Amino acid sequence: MPIHPTQQRSTGSGERSGVQQAEATLMEHYPRLVRLAYLVLPPSLGRHRRVLAAHAAVQRALPRARKAPEAPAPAHVPAQNRGAAHGPPPEGAGPEYVRLRLRVLRTALAHERRPRWWPGGLAAPAALRPSLPAVWGLRLFPRAGGASELALDQALAAVPAAVRAAFALRQLEELDEPAVQALLVRAGAPDAAEAVRAAGHLGGADRAAAGSLLRSGEFDPCVLQTRPSDLLRRRHRVRAVSVAAALCAVAGVVSLAAVGTPGAAPTGRGVPSGYAPALDPAALSRTAAGQWADTSRVDFTAWPARGDRADDPALLGRALRTWGGAATGVEVSSTPGTLTVPPAQPPQLLYAGEVDGAAVVLFHDRGVRVVRYAEPLSGPGRPALDFARTDDADVTTGAAVVVSRSGNRARFLLAPWISQTTTRDLLAPDSPARALRVASDGVTAAVPRPSPGVLCDAWPVLQLRSSERIVENHAFLLTDLGDLAPVHLTFTPKPVGGAPARQPREATGTPALLAWARTACSLATLRGSGVRAVNNWEFAEQRLPEVGAPARWLCTRADTWQGPGRVLVQFLAPGGSPTAPGTVVAEERDTARCSRFGQHVLAGTHWRAPSGKWYVLAAGSRAVSRIEASGAVHGAAGGRTLAVRAPRDAPVELTARLEEGGSLTAVGRTGPGTTG
């Protein structure tokens, strides 16, 4: 749904020529300016309001006739930068673009400079004057990106608007740092120099990749998707207004006899009329059986409809009516951040059949979520309705869905592109994978689930291999953490010499399996939290004092379907069993650490040597050049590791310096003691 401003017919003559030129420039560079405004505006606005505010900021940047020219560069802009106070225009643009860009920046930055008396959640009055565009009855949002785009969006949300502006100007406008600083000063940004420095730490070392992500659909407010607003809430508001108006009318004619009723009371629960077309079994979307091999979009949209009751209109009708809210006594569950409202358009049928004593129906709601309906075939059990987010699923995260859970076992419906299905135990890394039977309709045999109790003596996972027909012939691991969609497990090896930063890979090799053997039990803390993927990153190795044996440091990052991530830093002491669980020494939620856009990490723990002496140990990722300890203990060491004598549980603050400049604080607090 591309959105551009309506071209206005210019009128007037000589005195309007400058405005006409500005309008022509705005039209030519409109998508570029709106993207810039969208990136600078606070994410707390929400994607819908942020999109509208970005378009309003650009459309209001058009100057009025007889408008005074821009003021000269302020005196505190360094003399060598005054010539570039606006920053050079992009190739093919002129000075009018530069002036428009400055006005857009000023408006976008103003959204974080509201006075104290202004209501919370709103921007400054000057930035939110009533203006077009306005939208009623629809929610607008850019196309969702992948894990990398989500991580970048999360990193941008954690910094001030001036830092976001500096990052966007460097990546999208390709300005150098002095020009960015001068432009931010002119736009009224506080502490422009610090904003430029902070922006240099966003996006990691691969600046070209970061710029490419900023140009992706995730950050394009001109190519949008739409969804209806909350139809039920809107209807309730309209009814409330109607009732209030009716009461006022009755009060105004109280001396007259009542001649009618204000409305009919509902006779019972039913499918809301606005959703009825989407809840018609005959309107269900069905994908052809072989389409998955002939499409560039390999996700749930490529799944065909399977199951021996896929043509049972009665079952499908009951499932859809239950989803529409017409049934009572239904057990409903959803992963965090998943809407449970009825579909806005007919969903896609994935499966309908009988599994483990229940009739099960699986729907896919147009790239947003998977919905599972189950009703008992006999007995007094109640129907169940489960919702899970699946936006931007891919070959791995869209490879399986839980179709049934019974006791401590589960069955999965597999994607049509899965060519080989096996299972393995993460706590037995030396044991080979075992074949798993799959029925003709894609449902697997029952698979043991990871134990929910304290005892963690096994961690079963699926090891799947994709078909060569989609040029993705590789094996990968999935584990059941209690949601409909199993979780993709990956591994990032430790850095080697001066080689570039290594990227996550499938956790099927020997180093990955050995690492997961010692950290798999920590996955139990992630159950039911809407996790999409978990990566084990071995970011450092440290020789321990007194013994000289190497210990390993791992950052286990869980990315959710919502976007926010959670990290656990685990210390793997040497010796003992190859499956001895590591010690979780630090934890942090809603963070970009240990992702593509948070590549620097520092952590520490207390450790007791075999001699009985206690130490504070610390380690950092590949860009750390020096680590310092303060508090109850003072010490420092060049390089990526630190070991200093300290009393047990002594409070210690850890900081690190990075090779390219800047500092780094430790994840959480220095962790609990471990024994060598």
Side-chain angles (χ1 to χ4, degrees):
M1 176 181 168
I3 289 185
H4 296 280
T6 303
Q7 179 74 51
Q8 298 177 356
R9 184 176 300 171
S10 59
T11 61
S13 54
E15 66 181 21
R16 302 248 330 151
S17 60
V19 179
Q20 293 173 353
Q21 179 60 39
E23 182 183 20
T25 303
L26 184 145
M27 294 299 299
E28 180 181 358
H29 298 285
Y30 187 81
R32 185 189 195 110
L33 291 170
V34 175
R35 188 188 294 262
L36 176 63
Y38 182 81
L39 289 167
V40 177
L41 286 165
S44 59
L45 291 174
R47 290 192 294 175
H48 173 78
R49 289 177 58 199
R50 195 173 165 200
V51 164
L52 295 180
H55 284 273
V58 175
Q59 293 177 21
R60 285 166 49 191
L62 192 66
R64 297 191 180 98
R66 297 190 181 94
K67 189 181 186 309
E70 295 285 350
H76 58 273
V77 176
Q80 66 269 27
N81 292 336
R82 290 181 186 173
H86 288 285
E91 183 178 356
E96 200 60 56
Y97 173 84
V98 172
R99 287 189 282 271
L100 289 170
R101 181 176 62 190
L102 176 60
R103 296 188 191 106
V104 169
L105 275 177
R106 283 175 175 166
T107 302
L109 289 169
H111 276 256
E112 287 193 0
R113 297 198 300 272
R114 57 180 181 266
R116 292 183 180 178
W117 52 265
W118 194 251
L122 295 181
L128 282 187
R129 291 193 299 267
S131 61
L132 297 176
V135 176
W136 173 259
L138 287 176
R139 308 294 294 177
L140 307 178
F141 49 92
R143 295 174 178 173
S148 298
E149 287 86 349
L150 289 173
L152 177 57
D153 190 42
Q154 181 182 349
L156 291 173
V159 299
V163 179
R164 294 194 297 271
F167 185 66
L169 291 170
R170 288 281 284 141
Q171 298 295 331
L172 296 179
E173 300 293 290
E174 299 181 353
L175 303 182
D176 57 25
E177 291 188 356
V180 171
Q181 180 177 339
L183 182 52
L184 290 179
V185 169
R186 299 232 43 211
D191 201 352
E194 177 58 31
V196 173
R197 283 192 293 271
H201 297 300
L202 289 173
D206 193 346
R207 300 186 63 84
S212 176
L213 289 175
L214 283 187
R215 294 179 177 88
S216 68
E218 173 84 8
F219 304 103
D220 187 356
C222 286
V223 180
L224 302 170
Q225 292 179 317
T226 64
R227 288 289 186 274
S229 57
D230 192 329
L231 299 177
L232 293 178
R233 181 180 300 174
R234 190 199 314 169
R235 182 177 300 168
H236 293 160
R237 288 174 178 170
V238 171
R239 286 176 178 172
V241 172
S242 301
V243 170
L247 290 175
C248 290
V250 170
V253 293
V254 68
S255 60
L256 301 178
V259 293
T261 60
T267 58
R269 295 188 65 181
V271 175
S273 59
Y275 292 115
L279 299 174
D280 181 1
L284 284 171
S285 171
R286 299 171 186 251
T287 301
Q291 183 172 321
W292 63 270
D294 296 307
T295 179
S296 60
R297 184 174 176 179
V298 185
D299 58 13
F300 286 108
T301 61
W303 282 38
R306 289 172 288 178
D308 56 7
R309 298 186 68 176
D311 296 317
D312 183 342
L315 172 62
L316 300 179
R318 288 195 300 274
L320 290 168
R321 286 193 298 274
T322 302
W323 186 359
T328 58
V330 179
E331 297 180 359
V332 179
S333 70
S334 63
T335 56
T338 307
L339 296 175
T340 59
V341 298
Q345 53 188 328
Q348 174 190 354
L349 178 63
L350 301 181
Y351 177 84
E354 298 179 1
V355 185
D356 294 334
V360 178
V361 182
L362 286 172
F363 300 110
H364 178 236
D365 189 15
R366 301 294 181 177
V368 178
R369 53 190 172 162
V370 164
V371 181
R372 175 184 176 271
Y373 169 82
E375 63 181 28
L377 294 176
S378 60
R382 295 190 299 172
L385 200 61
D386 305 308
F387 297 82
R389 282 186 65 165
T390 56
D391 41 318
D392 300 303
D394 55 22
V395 172
T396 55
T397 54
V401 171
V402 173
V403 71
S404 171
R405 286 194 179 97
S406 179
N408 62 347
R409 293 179 173 269
R411 297 180 191 269
F412 299 85
L413 178 66
L414 300 182
W417 56 81
I418 298 303
S419 62
Q420 185 180 32
T421 308
T422 57
T423 63
R424 68 180 317 132
D425 181 4
L426 286 184
L427 300 190
D430 295 332
S431 300
R434 298 177 299 278
L436 178 66
R437 184 177 59 83
V438 180
S440 59
D441 60 0
V443 176
T444 69
V447 180
R449 299 175 59 199
S451 172
V454 176
L455 180 63
C456 181
D457 55 1
W459 198 278
V461 295
L462 292 175
Q463 180 167 311
L464 308 178
R465 182 175 293 277
S466 56
S467 170
E468 295 180 351
R469 295 176 63 187
I470 58 172
V471 198
E472 285 281 355
N473 180 19
H474 71 287
F476 53 93
L477 300 184
L478 300 177
T479 188
D480 181 8
L481 291 185
D483 296 322
L484 279 182
V487 177
H488 182 207
L489 303 181
T490 57
F491 174 70
T492 304
K494 63 184 178 183
V496 177
R502 309 179 83 172
Q503 300 300 317
R505 58 196 63 187
E506 300 304 342
T508 53
T510 299
L513 292 174
L514 291 174
W516 273 111
R518 301 196 61 181
T519 57
C521 292
S522 66
L523 292 171
T525 63
L526 303 174
R527 280 194 174 94
S529 56
V531 174
R532 171 192 180 115
V534 183
N535 180 57
N536 252 348
W537 173 29
E538 188 173 338
F539 67 88
E541 184 176 273
Q542 180 176 21
R543 293 283 174 180
L544 297 177
E546 299 187 20
V547 296
R552 294 184 292 158
W553 294 80
L554 269 70
C555 184
T556 304
R557 177 178 175 85
D559 286 306
T560 64
W561 290 97
Q562 285 182 284
R566 173 185 176 187
V567 298
L568 302 174
V569 177
Q570 306 196 54
F571 177 78
L572 308 186
S577 167
T579 61
T583 301
V584 176
V585 300
E587 178 181 359
E588 195 167 312
R589 298 172 182 266
D590 298 333
T591 178
R593 291 188 196 253
C594 303
S595 72
R596 184 176 181 180
F597 300 102
Q599 298 183 9
H600 308 312
V601 63
L602 171 69
T605 186
H606 291 83
W607 175 79
R608 189 180 70 177
S611 65
K613 297 176 181 178
W614 283 90
Y615 291 81
V616 165
L617 305 179
S621 50
R622 65 197 310 270
V624 168
S625 60
R626 179 179 175 83
I627 301 176
E628 299 176 356
S630 59
V633 176
H634 291 270
R640 298 169 49 216
T641 60
L642 167 74
V644 58
R645 286 282 307 277
R648 179 177 183 176
D649 298 331
V652 178
E653 297 291 332
L654 296 172
T655 57
R657 296 186 181 276
L658 303 176
E659 293 176 350
E660 67 271 21
S663 61
L664 184 66
T665 58
V667 178
R669 295 181 177 179
T670 302
T674 62
T675 301

